[in-house]
Amino acid sequence: MSNQDARFATEPYLRHIMLDYRQMAEFVKDPFVVAKADGIRFWDVHGKEYLDGLAGIFTVNVGYNNPRVLAAVTEQLKTLPFNPPMHGTNPRAVELAGLLAEVTPGDLHTARLVDRGSEANEAAFKIVRQYHRQTGNPGKFKILSRYLSYHGATAATMSAGGVGYRKTLYEPAGIGYLHTYPPYCYRCPYEKTYPSCEVFCARTLRQMIEWEDPRSIAAIIVEPISNTGGIVTPPMEYLKILRQLCDEFNILLIFDEIITGFGRTGAMFAADTFGVVPDILCCGKGMSSGYAPLAAAILREPIARVFWGEPGTEFAHGHTYAGNPVACAAGLASIREIVERKLPDNARRVGAHLVQQLDAKLRPLGVVGDIRGKGLMIGVELVQDPVTGAPFPAEQKFGLKVGRRCLDHGLLLRFDPHWVAFGPALIVTEADVEKMVDILGQSIREVLREL
Ligand SMILES: Cc1ncc(COP(=O)(O)O)c(C=O)c1O
């Protein structure tokens, strides 16, 4: 990296940019500007080294600087960087759609390629409405989702999202977005306990659907495991119950697998982990491992069939970069790496070791309420009292302080006032996660001493 880059971490340059969820006046006091990466490590513009416990943001599944993906992208840039999207497609896009049909479960066989996760979910919302119109149910338009969920930053996906503070500044949101409680067993919103609850949070949806009127509901969208609420992980039966309700009421089930796809949960998709095939599977992030923007909404055959036939039944939707050949080349190489190197197996094995390490090394610190997740998507809920589950007072921002301390010690994690999460590249080793847990433990101890 060039020393020249250090100037881009100074206020005069940063005055010209607005970052995600950042108050820039705060950011410029201690800017975090990344310059270079390799494997599971990256370096900031000052040359400081970090372990990336989050694969950027659950994205770089094959790790940074992967030779196969680099070669594929470079070759494609030289051969065909772009094709006219209104007139046709390119070989890499068709090849990628075929590979997706192979690696997804069931008959999820037709991919609508897009550029990012929000677009995949937003395309899915339009597809379900059009599907119902074209199959004689024009009244079905409502989208049911859950509190604490995140489905993207665009207007429709924001409306489906279930985190208030990400919406209130921009509301009113779209019409026809309904929300239910998530399967957050550690703090059950229904004040029930699993398994005696018999997964009430899923079963109660029947009542909601009936009262709302099933003739008005187009789809249910869920993240099989939800990041935003702190790696909220449902009981194994939960998604099966949703599948049954959707079948019974002719509601399409959408899995937002933007994070959980491509090996993250220890199988290729969370649909495999939980043994449930959705009608539409939306994926992104790990699909290209972040080497180029790439995402997809993948449809089961009966859904795709409704868009194949008479003029006027096609999907009336387009993006300049959808199915871009360079992004698709990155996707093909990344997915082949994940499959051929059996990275989902590594995610399962190292993920189990990570949980064991967290349990052994962090529980004795007296602030671990819950450890949850699957594969290499693991969250730790931090509490003031693990016996009662009493959280730290919000104003203490305990988790944020811990996360910042981790960064000081060269570890990137996802952090929130009440939890931290791991989502490293799927190439991570047992020794790597041990080091990460040690840094997290040290950071917690330091923050506890300063309370
Ligand atoms: C579960 C989930 N869905 C959708 C999105 C939106 O994806 P993108 O940021 O690529 O638009 C994200 C992004 O973090 C996500 O985590």
Side-chain angles (χ1 to χ4, degrees):
M1 93 209 67
S2 84
N3 284 335
Q4 296 283 324
D5 279 344
R7 70 199 150 122
F8 295 119
T10 61
E11 183 170 343
Y13 287 91
L14 290 166
R15 280 254 165 204
H16 301 292
I17 191 167
M18 257 181 170
L19 299 177
D20 296 5
Y21 305 110
R22 284 282 167 289
Q23 173 44 258
M24 292 307 293
E26 276 302 304
F27 182 83
V28 295
K29 291 180 191 161
D30 185 17
F32 181 57
V33 183
V34 176
K36 183 183 143 168
D38 185 45
I40 60 155
R41 288 177 168 73
F42 59 79
W43 290 264
D44 69 15
V45 287
H46 308 295
K48 179 175 169 179
E49 182 176 317
Y50 295 82
L51 273 173
D52 186 353
L54 194 58
I57 180 75
F58 303 101
T59 297
V60 190
N61 285 14
V62 300
Y64 298 101
N65 215 4
N66 177 287
R68 181 183 199 155
V69 185
L70 290 181
V73 168
T74 311
E75 187 53 37
Q76 191 57 45
L77 274 170
K78 288 190 268 179
T79 317
L80 178 75
F82 188 78
N83 70 275
M86 290 283 284
H87 299 74
T89 184
N90 66 80
R92 296 294 78 75
V94 181
E95 191 180 4
L96 175 61
L99 181 60
L100 290 171
E102 267 176 48
V103 298
T104 45
D107 60 348
L108 286 159
H109 284 170
T110 301
R112 168 65 222 191
L113 298 172
V114 289
D115 315 332
R116 63 210 78 242
S118 310
E119 286 174 8
N121 289 334
E122 188 123 356
F125 295 167
K126 289 170 75 174
I127 287 168
V128 297
R129 287 180 179 171
Q130 188 175 347
Y131 167 84
H132 287 302
R133 291 219 167 111
Q134 291 179 186
T135 53
N137 295 293
K140 278 181 168 285
F141 74 99
K142 293 177 190 163
I143 308 285
L144 202 164
S145 61
R146 301 183 308 207
Y147 290 111
L148 292 184
S149 67
Y150 180 72
H151 298 296
T154 55
T157 55
M158 178 198 80
S159 304
V163 180
Y165 75 88
R166 290 189 177 182
K167 294 201 277 192
T168 35
L169 284 170
Y170 314 105
E171 285 181 317
I175 294 170
Y177 294 90
L178 315 170
H179 294 84
T180 185
Y181 289 132
Y184 183 10
C185 296
Y186 185 65
R187 297 188 190 284
C188 176
Y190 299 101
E191 300 186 350
K192 292 183 181 287
T193 307
Y194 179 79
S196 60
C197 64
E198 295 179 4
V199 202
F200 179 79
C201 54
R203 289 185 295 111
T204 191
L205 281 180
R206 166 183 295 283
Q207 189 67 81
M208 184 171 177
I209 292 164
E210 282 172 351
W211 280 343
E212 194 65 40
D213 188 349
R215 289 171 305 173
S216 69
I217 303 182
I220 297 179
I221 181 167
V222 292
E223 301 157 83
I225 297 176
S226 159
N227 161 44
T228 336
I231 317 298
V232 172
T233 311
M236 284 306 282
E237 312 89 303
Y238 177 87
L239 294 171
K240 293 193 175 91
I241 298 172
L242 258 51
R243 176 72 273 176
Q244 285 159 5
L245 287 170
C246 284
D247 290 344
E248 185 179 336
F249 291 106
N250 186 23
I251 293 169
L252 298 188
L253 181 60
I254 306 170
F255 279 0
D256 174 345
E257 293 228 31
I258 312 297
I259 288 182
T260 55
F262 300 102
R264 172 74 40 210
T265 66
M268 200 58 180
F269 292 94
D272 302 301
T273 299
F274 289 97
V276 175
V277 180
D279 296 300
I280 303 182
L281 188 154
C282 295
C283 53
K285 294 192 189 280
M287 185 172 174
S288 63
S289 285
Y291 286 72
L294 181 67
I298 310 175
L299 319 185
R300 284 192 53 225
E301 272 183 8
I303 318 300
R305 210 176 295 134
V306 169
F307 293 81
W308 179 286
E310 295 303 310
T313 61
E314 66 276 7
F315 188 37
H317 183 94
H319 291 292
T320 303
Y321 295 105
N324 172 271
V326 178
C328 292
L332 283 162
S334 166
I335 296 169
R336 286 182 177 136
E337 278 287 275
I338 292 168
V339 172
E340 288 171 25
R341 291 174 64 187
K342 298 190 170 51
L343 294 184
D345 292 352
N346 194 56
R348 218 168 40 248
R349 195 174 53 249
V350 179
H353 188 64
L354 170 60
V355 169
Q356 180 268 323
Q357 287 282 302
L358 290 166
D359 215 36
K361 293 180 174 165
L362 297 197
R363 288 228 190 247
L365 303 183
V367 292
V368 172
D370 195 23
I371 299 171
R372 52 187 178 245
K374 294 211 182 283
L376 283 170
M377 185 175 182
I378 301 295
V380 182
E381 183 154 343
L382 299 166
V383 295
Q384 196 166 44
D385 183 345
V387 177
T388 62
F392 281 100
E395 61 280 8
Q396 261 180 12
K397 299 182 178 162
F398 186 77
L400 296 183
K401 285 182 186 154
V402 169
R404 296 225 174 86
R405 196 53 67 99
C406 286
L407 270 182
D408 292 344
H409 294 309
L411 170 67
L412 183 95
L413 295 179
R414 172 82 163 84
F415 48 87
D416 171 276
H418 298 290
W419 52 271
V420 294
F422 288 79
L426 310 186
I427 57 168
V428 78
T429 64
E430 296 189 345
D432 293 329
V433 297
E434 282 174 21
K435 202 180 280 176
M436 291 176 190
V437 173
D438 287 342
I439 296 175
L440 175 57
Q442 182 189 347
S443 303
I444 292 175
R445 275 192 290 273
E446 288 173 8
V447 174
L448 279 172
R449 273 202 295 274
E450 288 165 15
L451 279 186

